Each structure stands twice: as structure tokens, then as C-alpha cells.
Amino acid sequence: MSEIVLQAKGLKKSFKSPTGLLTVLRSIDLEVYAGESVSIRGSSGSGKTTLLQLLGGLDVPDSGEVKLKLSSRTMLSPHRCLGQGVGFVFQNYQLMPELNAWENVALAAQIAGQGESEKEAQALLALVGLSHRIHHMPTQLSGGECQRVAIARALINQPAVILADEPTGNLDEVTGKDVMNLLLEVVAQRNTALVLVTHSKEFAERTQRRFFLSSGVLTPA
Amino acid sequence: MAWFFHLALRQLFPPGKRFPAFAIVSILGVGLGVASLLVVQTVMNGFGEEHRLRIRESFGECVVVANRPISNVDELISSLNLEEEVLSISPYAEGPALTRRGSFSGVAFVRGIVPTDEEIPARGYVVAGDFNELDDGRVVLGIGLARDLRVKVGDKIDLWSPVMVDQAEKGKAPLPAELEVCAIVRTGFSEVDNRAAMISLRRFRELWSLGNKVHGVILRLDDPSQAPAIAARLNQGKPDLRFVPWQEIKKNFLEAIRFEKTMLFFLMFIITLVASFSIGSTLFSAVIRRSREVGVLVALGAKPWQLVGLFGLQGLWIGALGTSLGFVLTWTILSFRDSILGTINNLFGDGDMVASVYQFARVPLHYEPMDFLIAAVFTLLVTTLAGLVPALWAAGRKPSEAMRDV
Ligand SMILES: Nc1ncnc2c1ncn2[C@@H]1O[C@H](COP(=O)(O)OP(=O)(O)OP(=O)(O)O)[C@@H](O)[C@H]1O
Ligand SMILES: [Mg+2]
């Protein structure tokens, strides 16, 4: 068995809501191994986005802990090392509107303190099939193209794991399929682990391990 | 170059947009605020400077007076001549007299002067005639006194000195001095304009039986702004003399000018503050509009100080560009002040106030570098803060929440 790159133990998360405390995640345990792909399905409002945010360190759990493999030895809580070790792909792309495709990809590397990122950004855009669009602004790109840029951006800092939250949710069926194919292809090719949140059974089938989130717990599906 | 430099520039001036409305409106706002502050300050400084110059030229830069007439005036002059700060010295004598022409009469404060001395007060304010024609048989009058006597240049007036009253008491029958008006002056200071009568020192000594004494000397200094200090220094070791700098002569008037300037600065400061706040709120809403982007930047690993840098820089640039624009606007407005004022006068039919009330040829200006510096520093501070405060707020939010914003 290969090594663990992301590990969640006993995650619990609740939110204050108008109707009192809303417990979204009760007890989540998850181990993601290097290079594998994992899918999470669940009904709307079941807490999939919340879980991904905890896994990526965008929020902290009420109890339990998340550990992320950064280098060969250290495991760190991901909210202490945002931008390193984890790459995000969001449903609505979340590109910087004032930067072109190339700059959007390079920005992630610059923020992470990686110098000389321009070449790498160009190579990644070629990898996602956008070498002819690198100077386009997000408004000049189609949804599918935007998501490809976002995938390139998620890859540039060589994360151990990519967290993708319904990456095809805003795309039509054909484009969605293309983007999903690309995503699965590049993570396999670069031996990057993938945690995919999706509504689509079809896409979930293509991952190596599948989970279902309901009532705040993960069950294998 | 740090990434947020580049991003700040892009957010302020988005590429492909020919009219970056947000940036332009903010910069214009700052520029107008700065310009209105500086235009008022510069004109106020101009009036102040002009008034100060007029005081010096109407009363002298430093007047040396004594309790009783000075008899050893040559000695005093040669000792003052040794002083570096003293450029020239002019002796004078003064006293009240009665002036008459026909059935009109007026009280004059007569000054005997050396007609050729350049630093004679009011010499530069001749409105009729020629000061240079002053000799033993002529007189220069203040415009108010000339009006009281209904005289113009070339007319003759009679002058009765107190000495003549003495003579009359002793039973002699004195004759008044007959003097021809050779020039009329107008300084704008009523105590000069309504009373002044200047005759030659030689004639004064004769009419007042003063021998070769004088009542004081008037000094011209190399640095008039330092007159109080110079006067104090020169006064040392001369207890029977009093050195009065021009600032002391018209103390209340100068204080009023200074107070006026302070008040106006205060008012303009409030206006600028209001302008700054509107820029602050514009920047604030800009940051809030971007809170989802801030969330993404945090997710990508941006540190709070970098976010503060990102928005603080935008505030700083708006401030810097706005201040520069304000400087240019100030200079432009002030360069065209005559046509602007002309238009206003035409519109409201007020006539030329500057000429009639202040007797200045045109609106006076005085560029004070300190005012510009203060305006620039203050504006940069406010606009940078206006960017920083919302940035701090944005940086403090959880990225998970920021990214849920729509
Ligand atoms: N900041 C918050 N405050 C209060 N409630 C929240 C907050 N964030 C999420 N929730 C609630 O938590 C629940 C789970 O939200 P989450 O976005 O994780 O669902 P999801 O599974 O991603 O749904 P979808 O498939 O529609 O995206 C929802 O019921 C939501 O109302
Ligand atoms: Mg969701």
C-alpha cells in the first residue's frame, strides 16, 4: 500500500443557524493515499463542500483533526500551510478577473513563493489544452476553458492532493465530460491524489474509491 | 516584484478597459479635494504676503524711536551702518500740525524726511503726482487728508506747526508755511492715508525749531522676516532707544491675517476630510466586492500582510495620483485666476473687488511648499488607510465564508 497524503480523524463541524446549532459533519474519518482518486457523493446540503473546506484548511473543524503530508516526513494541519500540498478546483472556477489565463496560473506559484513560474504555467496550460488561449482574460474564455485554467492553477505547486468541488457543475454535459476526463487524466499522469465531490454517478464510478456522505458521516458506496 | 504589486495595478487599472471608472473617479475626487485646499491656502498666503509687504512699505521695516529728540543722529547712523543686517538708514522727525486750504482744514501727522531716501514709507504707493519732486517747498499728502482739504497735485496748502502757536502766544504774528502738493499716496492703511503729510526733514526742523535733532530713524533690513530678532539684538546696549520691528507696528492686523488663514485651513481641512471619507467608502466597497477573490487568494496561501499590501497599495496609488492631479489643478486654476475672477465678476456684476477693496492689481499668490507637503502627506495617509482598514477586515475573514459570498 502506498503512503497516506491526507488524513482526517473524527471531524465534527456544526454551524450556528437561525434554527439553532446545525451539525453538518458528525464524525468523518478519511484517508487518502498518494495518487489515488476518491469520490464523495451526497445530497445537496449534506456537507460535501464543508468537508472539502476542512480537508483543504479553508476552515477548521470543531473537533477532530486533518493532517496533510507536506514533504517526505512532516504531516501538517492544512490550514497552517494554505497554498501548499493541496490544490483546489471550485465549481465556479474562481479565477482572478483582472489576470489572464497565464497570470492566473502563475499567481498561485508566486503566492506560494515559487520563483520562475512562467515557464511552468505555460507548460501546464499546454497540458490542459489551452496553449492557444494563454493571454485570454477569464471573460474571454468559455466555462470549460476557465475550469481548465483552474485545473492548471491547482497543479502548479505540485500538490499531493487536489480537492475538486463539483468541478463540472457549471458546465454542459459534453464539456463537463471533457473537463472530467482531463482532470482524471492529469492527476493519474502526475500521480496526484484527487478528492472529487460530484453529483454524477457516472463520474464517481471512474474514481478508485467511492463514498457517500449523509447524516454527517461517510459511508463507502 | 511581489505578486500583490502586479495584482494591485491590474485591479486598479484593469487591462482592456479603456475607462477604469473606479480609479478615475477616486483619483479625481482626491485631486479636487487637494486642489481646493491648496488654491485657498495659496491665495490666502498671497494676501498675507501682500499685506505684510504693504505694512513694511507703509510703516518701515524697523523704526528706531527715543523718549526725547535724538541729537547725535550722525553718531547713531554711523554705528548702525556697521551692522550687517541693516541695508540703509533714514532719519525722520514727526509731529502733528494743522493744515488748511481755504475754508477746509485737517489735522495732519507731519513727517520730515530726507526726500531722496528710497526706504521712505509709502513711497511706493503714489496715486497721483511724483514723490521725487518733494523738496523744501512741497508736501506729499495721504489721499484721505487730500480729500478733506479738497486739494489735488499742484494745489497749495497752509501748514501751522505747534511752534507757530507758541510764537502767537508770545505776541508775535507767525505766518503759516505754504506748501505745494507734489504727490498723493494711498497705502490702504487709514492711519497713513487720512493723516500723513510728508515734507523735507530740513523744512520740518525749521518749522518745528528742532535744530539738527531728529525723532527717530527708519531701517531697511536684509531679511525683514527676521526683524524682531534683529531689532532685539540692535537694541542691546541702547537703553534710551526703542527698536520697533514692523511686525510689532501692526501686530493686531497681522494676527487677524494669521487667524483668518488658520480658520480657513481648518474649514478646508474639514472639506478634505469629507472628501477623504467618500474615497474611503469607495475603496471599502471595492474590497467588499472582492471578498470572494480575497477568499481565493487566502486559499492559494496569501498572507494577511500581503492582502493588506494589495489594497493598501491601491489606496496609496489613488492618493499619489490624486495628489499629483491636485497639484496640477491648483497650478492651472491659479494661473487662470484672472479670467476665472473676471468671469465671476461679470456673472454677478460685483466689479473688481480685488482692486477696490484690497488695492491689489490682481489676486496675489504665494506658493508655500509646506502647505503642499502637508496636503500630500495627509492625503496619502488617508487614502492608504482607507485601503488598509477594509483589507484588514477582509484578511481576517475565514476563506470558507468569504468564498460563499456571491
Ligand atoms: N457558514 C455557514 N453558516 C451556517 N450554515 C452553513 C454555513 N455553511 C454551510 N452551512 C450549512 O451547512 C450545510 C452543508 O452545506 P454545504 O455547502 O457543505 O453543502 P453541500 O453538500 O456542498 O451542498 P451542495 O451539494 O448543494 O453544494 C447546509 O445546510 C448549509 O446551510
Ligand atoms: Mg457544495
Side-chain angles (χ1 to χ4, degrees), chain B residues 2-180:
Chain B
W3 62 267
F4 54 88
F5 258 90
H6 181 231
L7 189 58
L9 204 59
R10 281 300 183 82
Q11 294 192 335
L12 209 51
F13 301 105
K17 247 191 179 175
R18 236 181 299 139
F19 188 80
F22 165 71
I24 287 182
V25 169
S26 310
I27 290 166
L28 215 64
V30 176
L32 286 174
V34 168
S36 60
L37 180 73
L38 289 178
V39 164
V40 169
Q41 287 297 301
T42 304
V43 171
M44 281 312 288
N45 287 338
F47 274 101
E49 281 300 300
E50 196 78 12
H51 282 309
R52 276 189 279 277
L53 180 71
R54 238 154 33 89
I55 291 173
R56 294 204 299 271
E57 291 183 349
S58 303
F59 298 92
E61 289 174 358
C62 182
V63 179
V64 184
V65 292
N67 289 333
R68 61 184 91 84
I70 304 167
S71 46
N72 50 351
V73 65
D74 290 338
E75 206 176 294
L76 176 65
I77 289 178
S78 50
S79 88
L80 286 175
N81 255 332
L82 297 176
E83 302 292 345
E84 250 175 49
E85 296 103 323
V86 180
L87 295 185
S88 64
I89 305 157
S90 176
Y92 74 91
E94 63 186 4
L98 185 70
T99 50
R100 262 183 59 183
R101 180 177 182 255
S103 52
F104 295 105
S105 60
V107 176
F109 204 70
V110 183
R111 213 171 235 206
I113 54 172
V114 181
T116 48
D117 282 353
E118 278 306 317
E119 64 271 36
I120 300 297
R123 183 166 202 134
Y125 294 87
V126 173
V127 289
D130 185 356
F131 207 111
N132 295 325
E133 283 178 6
L134 183 61
D135 59 21
D136 291 350
R138 295 197 166 100
V139 64
V140 174
L141 293 181
I143 190 163
L145 185 58
R147 277 190 194 136
D148 286 349
L149 297 175
R150 314 291 195 277
V151 294
K152 49 186 192 309
V153 173
D155 290 344
K156 294 209 158 87
I157 62 165
D158 287 341
L159 187 144
W160 299 82
S161 76
V163 172
M164 296 170 186
V165 178
D166 284 350
Q167 290 171 344
E169 275 178 349
K170 286 175 190 146
K172 293 174 192 160
L175 282 177
E178 195 187 50
L179 299 161
E180 182 192 324

Side-chain angles (χ1 to χ4, degrees), chain B residues 255-273:
Chain B
E255 264 165 16
I257 297 177
R258 204 167 305 136
F259 181 69
E260 224 168 74
K261 189 188 165 181
T262 313
M263 277 315 289
L264 262 171
F265 182 84
F266 182 65
L267 291 177
M268 295 315 293
F269 182 80
I270 291 177
I271 293 176
T272 318
L273 206 64

Side-chain angles (χ1 to χ4, degrees), chain A residues 48-49 91 165-166:
Chain A
K48 306 181 294 297
T49 298
Q91 180 175 348
D165 192 357
E166 298 183 45

Side-chain angles (χ1 to χ4, degrees), chain B residues 194-212:
Chain B
N194 293 342
R195 290 268 171 278
M198 284 171 269
I199 61 177
S200 76
L201 180 59
R202 195 166 30 201
R203 192 72 196 270
F204 188 98
R205 282 170 168 164
E206 192 185 301
L207 295 176
W208 264 258
S209 306
L210 205 59
N212 55 10

Side-chain angles (χ1 to χ4, degrees), chain A residues 53 59 90 92 98 103, chain B residues 10 290 292 398 400 403:
Chain A
Q53 286 178 338
D59 205 347
F90 304 102
N92 42 8
E98 288 92 1
E103 291 163 335
Chain B
R10 281 300 183 82
R290 294 185 188 279
R292 213 147 57 118
K398 267 195 263 177
S400 62
M403 288 169 70

Side-chain angles (χ1 to χ4, degrees), chain A residues 48-107:
Chain A
K48 306 181 294 297
T49 298
T50 307
L51 174 57
L52 273 200
Q53 286 178 338
L54 293 184
L55 293 179
L58 300 185
D59 205 347
V60 284
D62 299 340
S63 63
E65 59 170 6
V66 183
K67 289 276 184 218
L68 175 73
K69 181 184 161 258
L70 251 195
S71 57
S72 52
R73 289 243 156 263
T74 48
M75 294 288 275
L76 220 70
S77 164
H79 88 273
R80 296 188 181 285
C81 54
L82 284 170
Q84 297 164 44
V86 178
F88 290 98
V89 179
F90 304 102
Q91 180 175 348
N92 42 8
Y93 332 128
Q94 306 277 24
L95 300 178
M96 295 288 134
E98 288 92 1
L99 300 181
N100 66 28
W102 192 13
E103 291 163 335
N104 258 293
V105 178
L107 178 69

